[in-house]
Amino acid sequence: MIRYFDAHSDTLSRILRLRASGEHADFKDSELLNNNLNNLIAGGVKCQSFAIFVPPYYDQEDQWNFALKQVNLFKTEILSHPEIVHITDLKRIDEIPDDKIGALLTLEGCTAIARDLWKLELLISEGVKILSLVWNEENSCADGIMSARGAGVSDFGKEVINLCNKNNVIMDVSHISVNGFYDVVKLADKVIASHSNAKVICHHPRNLDDNQIKALIEKGGIIHNVFTPPFVAEYEGERFYGTASIDDVIKHVKHIISLGGINNLAIGTDFDGIENYVTGLENSSKMQNYLTALQDEFGDQIAQNIAINNFMKLA
Ligand SMILES: [Zn+2]
């Protein structure tokens, strides 16, 4: 079994949204979760990222409350399981024993902090080690990829990047506008795209074009391939909202390797943030299907590197 690092899941927000609709949604074994604990153990995860994600329809005050509820859920429930180790220093991922799973807090979009840098300091003190400035919309840091304006990083966004650089927090460029992408690559010490694919293979706005991929490779950044079907496969030029195959994901890996990114590839499943699935990757218990496919295609060492070693170079 190849153990792996997953840079992105929406498990915290999914649990809270399920509970708001009356479901119990126990992290240990709920079948409504892609990333329940039993699935994560079966799939061989070494360290799972848990994103704090607040959908844009929350008003500003509720944004912060919903972010804190996710921190609370992470601390009181996810970390309460004896199999889980809280990772607050990325270097410690290497030391996780075979019978334990690392849990890493991340932040998807800074809208919840408004313009209060102390709120970000608080989240970093709770253990956030990877963060993106913005989701698809616009906020005080930058514009997201679905924003028509497409502005880059604001002065406040630059303060956020400085704070992250000072605290060894990795900046995540998935979801940001193209202008914002290049600003972050220039200003941040460490950069990843936590859940994005190659636009040449699947022309979705959330994917990265070749110049962006090359800029990340040059920066020493990491591209975490994502299993969201609309970001994986196109069908006769149309965006494809059905299923996709593991081979379709491998096409993105091959393309990024062809651009020189063999040491810049990793995994960012987006589990619990997606409603349809790559066939054979319906939840984290199936992850060895992907890792075996990588092994068959590229050999054991490259599969291990994509699974975790490439990301660990940023720790
Ligand atoms: Zn996302």
Side-chain angles (χ1 to χ4, degrees), residues 266-286:
I267 295 165
T269 63
D270 212 5
F271 278 144
D272 288 319
I274 50 182
E275 304 298 336
N276 55 358
Y277 302 99
V278 171
T279 304
L281 295 173
E282 289 80 6
N283 60 57
S284 49
S285 78
K286 308 284 187 77

Side-chain angles (χ1 to χ4, degrees), residues 8 10 108 135 175 195 206 270:
H8 189 75
D10 286 311
E108 184 173 32
W135 192 63
H175 284 287
H195 53 308
R206 275 277 288 100
D270 212 5

Side-chain angles (χ1 to χ4, degrees), residues 46-256:
K46 183 150 186 167
C47 184
Q48 177 63 51
S49 299
F50 291 86
I52 301 164
F53 170 65
V54 184
Y57 51 78
Y58 281 77
D59 67 31
Q60 191 61 57
E61 189 182 340
D62 290 340
Q63 285 262 339
W64 180 237
N65 287 341
F66 194 60
L68 289 186
K69 272 186 190 169
Q70 290 171 71
V71 175
N72 188 57
L73 173 69
F74 181 77
K75 289 166 79 173
T76 60
E77 294 191 42
I78 309 295
L79 298 183
S80 74
H81 293 273
E83 298 90 342
I84 299 282
V85 184
H86 187 193
I87 296 296
T88 55
D89 173 356
L90 296 174
K91 289 190 173 58
R92 304 296 287 272
I93 293 172
D94 272 339
E95 299 162 17
I96 298 167
D98 287 346
D99 59 345
K100 302 277 184 194
I101 290 172
L104 182 71
L105 204 52
T106 70
L107 176 63
E108 184 173 32
C110 283
T111 307
I113 70 164
R115 289 179 175 275
D116 297 324
L117 222 47
W118 69 265
K119 288 179 175 167
L120 184 56
E121 286 169 343
L122 188 143
L123 295 178
I124 291 172
S125 76
E126 295 290 1
V128 166
K129 299 304 293 178
I130 298 173
L131 78 79
S132 55
L133 292 177
V134 67
W135 192 63
N136 288 334
E137 77 291 16
E138 301 164 6
N139 67 16
S140 56
C141 296
D143 285 4
I145 191 65
M146 300 305 185
S147 143
R149 184 176 61 175
V153 175
S154 68
D155 286 345
F156 179 70
K158 288 175 187 165
E159 289 182 47
V160 168
I161 294 174
N162 287 338
L163 186 67
C164 289
N165 287 345
K166 227 184 281 172
N167 287 279
N168 199 26
V169 172
I170 296 172
M171 297 299 305
D172 174 4
V173 290
S174 286
H175 284 287
I176 200 167
S177 67
V178 173
N179 287 319
F181 171 96
Y182 286 105
D183 287 343
V184 172
V185 168
K186 192 166 96 189
L187 297 169
D189 289 347
K190 298 178 177 182
V191 185
I192 66 170
S194 72
H195 53 308
S196 293
N197 285 334
K199 202 175 262 181
V200 164
I201 306 296
C202 172
H203 198 83
H204 190 286
R206 275 277 288 100
N207 286 338
L208 302 166
D209 66 33
D210 282 1
N211 288 333
Q212 290 176 300
I213 292 169
K214 286 181 199 161
L216 278 173
I217 293 169
E218 185 144 324
K219 179 81 181 175
I222 307 293
I223 301 142
H224 296 256
N225 287 121
V226 61
F227 300 160
T228 312
F231 308 164
V232 172
E234 280 177 326
Y235 183 69
E236 291 178 358
E238 297 286 315
R239 223 170 280 151
F240 183 49
Y241 286 95
T243 54
S245 69
I246 289 177
D247 277 351
D248 290 326
V249 183
I250 300 278
K251 285 178 196 160
H252 294 268
V253 176
K254 282 185 176 163
H255 181 70
I256 293 166

